[in-house]
Amino acid sequence: SFTCHRRLGSCNNKKRKKKKKKKQKKTRKKRMADHSEMIPMGESFASLSLLEKAVFVGVMMPALIVLKLCSTLVSAVMGRAWCAGTPWLERAAEDVYIANGWMTWFPSFGLTMSIVRLHSRDGGRTNELMLHGAIFFNEDLACQIQELGEVRYISVPSAFHDSFAMDWKRRFPEAIVICSADALDEISKGVEVDKSTEQALAPFDVSLHDPTPFLRSAIGERVLEVPTGEVGECKEETRALIFSDVMQNNPPTCLMTMLPLGWSGLRVARFFKFMIVKNREGLHSFLVDLCRNTQRLELAVFGHAHEPVRGLDTPQRIATAAKKHCSSTLHY
């Protein structure tokens, strides 16, 4: 009798587990169908197709693990500062600067921080700066930035770019740490966030463009549109777009190109497209419309790049790259 009860209990447990799995699967599919509710980052892998899971586990994961182990060994021997390299400050426009460095766990994979002088809504320049996408902290770089103006905001552009924000916060304790509202819970796990980006930047001439409806996870990325402080050929002030991960412009010398499914050049990164993008056609339309609707766009800055895109052909170059790398589901 005791054995029968145990068997019945075991069967009931199995049934309950099956029902729970089915319910979770239905919930996940419902989230995928509804753009307003994103899948948590940890469930991105579960939302992939069987073929995509096989490619990721069989090809990309082994390469990333080997690279991670090698870079961890180098970091342990040489130190994180050596891996990060010596960042350098470059003027991309009158009121937009970039600081280039390397990812500490991924040598030769560029990481770029944008330093933006904020403009008020009425068009006036301020002395307030925003650091967007913090890189490995460097005191010399901090001193150069301090000469440009007062660091008012430290912006965490996405859940993938939260590693160094608090290092810069300790250097500039008066600065306000911000991130987008939809990723506040995720980013707050490792960063002390003071305000949402939407709330903090409302008084300034900064437009936030949201690609989240086309992504599997709410990583919190916003494409920033800011004034450059320069007058173009049209005799009006030009604009700049600042990307974090949606578009990248890695040099061909980057180690990422050596990985299976690696990438370089101006494009939607393969890893990002593979694991994060849900609707490629939708993301393509978003990027094309963004270029078309941003007036006097003559500069684009990227979170992973050592060279911004400049000139009158900036909209066309971004739109072409978006079409090439997003329009086909099978084009990795």
Side-chain angles (χ1 to χ4, degrees), residues 75-319:
S75 179
V77 174
M78 304 300 294
R80 292 179 73 202
W82 183 88
C83 292
T86 303
W88 62 97
L89 191 66
E90 178 186 340
R91 177 179 153 180
E94 181 68 28
D95 290 333
V96 180
Y97 288 76
I98 57 175
N100 291 309
W102 305 106
M103 292 182 69
T104 54
W105 65 274
F106 212 150
S108 186
F109 188 33
L111 196 61
T112 301
M113 175 169 68
S114 302
I115 300 96
V116 180
R117 183 181 303 281
L118 296 170
H119 289 220
S120 61
R121 287 286 179 186
D122 60 9
R125 298 173 74 222
T126 70
N127 194 45
E128 298 176 347
L129 304 176
M130 175 179 64
L131 309 185
H132 184 71
I135 61 175
F136 189 78
F137 179 77
N138 180 279
E139 180 59 33
D140 291 339
L141 177 62
C143 291
Q144 292 179 57
I145 292 172
Q146 204 166 18
E147 291 176 3
L148 299 176
E150 176 193 353
V151 177
R152 176 75 182 277
Y153 297 107
I154 298 172
S155 171
V156 182
S158 78
F160 296 144
H161 289 259
D162 60 352
S163 301
F164 308 117
M166 295 313 296
D167 296 335
W168 289 89
K169 170 68 173 177
R170 282 187 282 272
R171 177 61 174 79
F172 299 105
E174 301 301 320
I176 299 169
V177 179
I178 60 176
C179 75
S180 59
D182 61 345
L184 193 61
D185 293 339
E186 182 74 28
I187 293 173
S188 294
K189 293 176 183 177
V191 178
E192 296 176 15
V193 180
D194 300 311
K195 275 186 179 181
S196 70
T197 304
E198 293 82 356
Q199 181 185 2
L201 299 182
F204 301 101
D205 184 9
V206 179
S207 298
L208 305 174
H209 303 280
D210 185 9
T212 303
F214 315 108
L215 308 180
R216 286 190 173 101
S217 303
I219 62 172
E221 174 156 3
R222 298 290 185 273
V223 181
L224 272 58
E225 180 190 337
V226 299
T228 64
E230 297 181 349
V231 176
E233 293 181 7
C234 57
K235 307 300 181 184
E236 293 185 69
E237 189 175 50
T238 58
R239 309 284 286 181
L241 292 177
I242 302 176
F243 296 88
S244 180
D245 288 304
V246 168
M247 289 287 289
Q248 300 182 15
N249 191 26
N250 286 306
T253 54
C254 173
L255 278 180
M256 186 62 77
T257 60
M258 302 178 189
L259 285 176
L261 299 180
W263 66 89
S264 66
L266 181 61
R267 60 170 296 149
V268 179
R270 284 194 177 97
F271 183 82
F272 185 84
K273 183 166 55 173
F274 190 82
M275 285 297 294
I276 303 299
V277 177
K278 173 175 66 175
N279 182 347
R280 299 185 187 189
E281 291 287 353
L283 183 61
H284 166 232
S285 299
F286 166 80
L287 292 170
V288 171
D289 290 343
L290 180 60
C291 294
R292 184 185 297 124
N293 297 330
T294 304
Q295 297 181 349
R296 305 180 301 281
L297 174 60
E298 292 191 19
L299 176 68
V301 178
F302 309 91
H304 296 287
H306 278 179
E307 284 294 332
V309 173
R310 297 182 176 91
L312 294 171
D313 64 340
T314 299
Q316 183 60 38
R317 289 178 64 184
I318 295 174

Side-chain angles (χ1 to χ4, degrees), residues 27-43:
T27 305
R28 192 177 293 120
K29 286 182 177 178
K30 187 180 178 183
R31 285 177 179 173
M32 287 289 289
D34 184 8
H35 285 168
S36 64
E37 186 179 358
M38 294 291 103
I39 296 175
M41 285 184 62
E43 295 183 27

